[in-house]
Amino acid sequence: MVQQAVLDRVFAALADPTRRGILVRLGQRPATIGELAEPTGMTLTGMKKHVQVLEDAGLVVTEKVGRSRQCRLGDAPLDEAMAWISFYQRLWARRLDGLDAYFTLKQSDSKGP
């Protein structure tokens, strides 16, 4: 159940394009909340809420530096999310391969001798 909660937080955080943009930006280098908010025109409060969602999911880590909050990518639980995605990718690939084999067999049967 804990894994489900982690996945829920990660996928919910990644579902928002603003938060994905924050991750892209932090992939280049750490930034303050003000630096993240500036190009978007968002308020500091609004940006802080987005960063908090990412932080709760383990995707971002913040640290108080003087009067600002420095943000950087966290040691995210993306491995768990990728494992979940990979499992279902393999599952659906096997099912689709089976469906393809079935239709190929049906097609060759319908041509008959």
Side-chain angles (χ1 to χ4, degrees), residues 1-9 80 84:
M1 191 66 171
V2 172
Q3 182 181 5
Q4 284 302 113
V6 170
L7 288 175
D8 290 348
R9 283 192 302 273
E80 290 180 44
W84 187 88

Side-chain angles (χ1 to χ4, degrees), residues 2-76:
V2 172
Q3 182 181 5
Q4 284 302 113
V6 170
L7 288 175
D8 290 348
R9 283 192 302 273
V10 169
F11 287 131
L14 294 174
D16 185 273
T18 299
R19 291 191 285 267
R20 290 192 306 271
I22 292 168
L23 293 176
V24 169
R25 168 62 177 80
L26 293 177
Q28 297 166 358
R29 67 183 174 282
T32 65
I33 291 182
E35 291 169 337
L36 293 171
E38 186 179 337
T40 66
M42 189 178 294
T43 65
L44 291 177
T45 303
M47 182 56 68
K48 175 66 175 139
K49 288 179 182 180
H50 281 292
V51 169
Q52 186 64 53
V53 171
L54 292 166
E55 194 170 23
D56 290 346
L59 299 170
V60 168
V61 175
T62 65
E63 177 184 10
K64 184 108 169 128
V65 178
R67 293 180 52 175
S68 62
R69 270 210 140 350
Q70 188 76 24
C71 307
R72 63 179 170 78
L73 292 178
D75 298 330

Side-chain angles (χ1 to χ4, degrees), residues 63-105:
E63 177 184 10
K64 184 108 169 128
V65 178
R67 293 180 52 175
S68 62
R69 270 210 140 350
Q70 188 76 24
C71 307
R72 63 179 170 78
L73 292 178
D75 298 330
L78 287 178
D79 289 340
E80 290 180 44
M82 287 303 300
W84 187 88
I85 290 168
S86 294
F87 171 80
Y88 283 98
Q89 182 180 28
R90 288 188 308 272
L91 176 75
W92 279 104
R94 283 192 305 268
R95 287 184 178 184
L96 291 173
D97 288 346
L99 188 60
D100 184 48
Y102 171 78
F103 283 123
T104 302
L105 181 63

